[in-house]
Structures are given as structure tokens and as C-alpha cells.
Amino acid sequence: MLMPKRVKYRKQQRGRRRGLAYRGCNIDFGEFGLKALEPAWITNRQIEAARVALTRYIKRGGKIWIRIFPDKAVSKKPAETRMGKGKGAPEFWVAVVKPGRIMFEVEGVSHALAKEGMRLAAAKLPIKTKFVVREMIGGSSNEG
């Protein structure tokens, strides 16, 4: 499972998931990407399940980048506990994802293979996503 090796503070406040992603919203490494269309907390288990589904489908061909990391601890109090007595213990880790964020990138596979692999990975995530292709940088596409 993905989680930080160490953190400065064990417990964090919940925060708000407003606005759009202004970082990590371009395909920087691969050719194809999976873009988030909704805000959400993506747990380390969901990231791992999506990664496994994608890797298995493309049969370990190409290269995969995971562009999100679960660095926020979510705490919960035990069931049937009275109010008070402080904040609960950290239970799991989440990555805060805002709309526009590229979560996964793939390179070295065909368009059809990447699209189907991303569809299988998206099925493991709790949000709506979109398959995106990197635009050609510089020059027009009708050269030659």
C-alpha cells in the first residue's frame, strides 16, 4: 500500500475539496492519461486496485506513472464510542484529488490498449474520469 514513510504530524484536519486542480493537470510523462472530473478522496487501496487492473490489462508492457499519492491521514473513532476523549487514531491514507487532475499516465502501448486499460482502472475509482491523449507540442499535424 502507498503511504508516507514518515509525517510531521500524525493527525490532519479534513479540509475542503473546492476548486479545480491547478497543478498536475497536464500529461507530462506518458502519451495517455486518466483525468479526474470530480473532487474526491482516493484511498491508498483504490489507487492500488486501479494500478493492478491497468498493469494486468496491458500485460506489463509500456510504462505507467501514478501521479497521485496518499499523503493525508484520515482518522476515525471506534464504533459505539461516546463523544469527547479526543480525535480518533489514523485509520487510512487518502490522496486529495480535484477536478482536472491527471491521476495515471501510460506510454508505450497502443491507443486502444491504453483506453481499455484506463477504463478498467477507472472502474476501481469512486469518481467520474476521462481518458485523455497528449497533444502534439509544436508544429501542425498536417506537415509533410
Side-chain angles (χ1 to χ4, degrees), residues 85-99:
K85 305 274 190 286
K87 191 173 167 97
E91 290 283 317
F92 55 94
W93 295 86
V94 297
V96 179
V97 172
K98 292 183 177 182

Side-chain angles (χ1 to χ4, degrees), residues 42-135:
I42 311 288
T43 68
N44 52 357
R45 290 169 175 268
Q46 290 163 345
I47 295 169
E48 180 64 12
R51 183 197 66 79
V52 167
L54 182 57
T55 313
R56 285 214 176 125
Y57 186 75
I58 63 174
K59 296 186 176 66
R60 304 210 338 245
K63 179 149 176 54
I64 297 173
W65 286 268
I66 303 171
R67 297 279 311 273
I68 54 176
F69 186 81
D71 56 356
K72 182 185 190 77
V74 176
S75 62
K76 276 194 176 167
K77 299 191 80 158
E80 299 177 16
T81 306
R82 292 187 178 184
M83 292 288 103
K85 305 274 190 286
K87 191 173 167 97
E91 290 283 317
F92 55 94
W93 295 86
V94 297
V96 179
V97 172
K98 292 183 177 182
R101 177 78 189 209
I102 302 290
M103 298 183 289
F104 295 93
E105 290 187 28
V106 177
E107 160 185 274
V109 292
S110 69
H111 184 279
L113 201 67
K115 187 163 187 170
E116 181 61 17
M118 291 292 194
R119 187 189 68 78
L120 293 171
K124 307 294 182 188
L125 300 172
I127 57 173
K128 287 181 183 164
T129 57
K130 182 181 179 182
F131 177 74
V132 289
V133 182
R134 182 181 212 159
E135 297 95 26

Side-chain angles (χ1 to χ4, degrees), residues 27-33 105 107 132-137:
I27 299 179
D28 293 328
F29 302 102
E31 299 167 48
F32 311 104
E105 290 187 28
E107 160 185 274
V132 289
V133 182
R134 182 181 212 159
E135 297 95 26
M136 294 304 291
I137 300 167

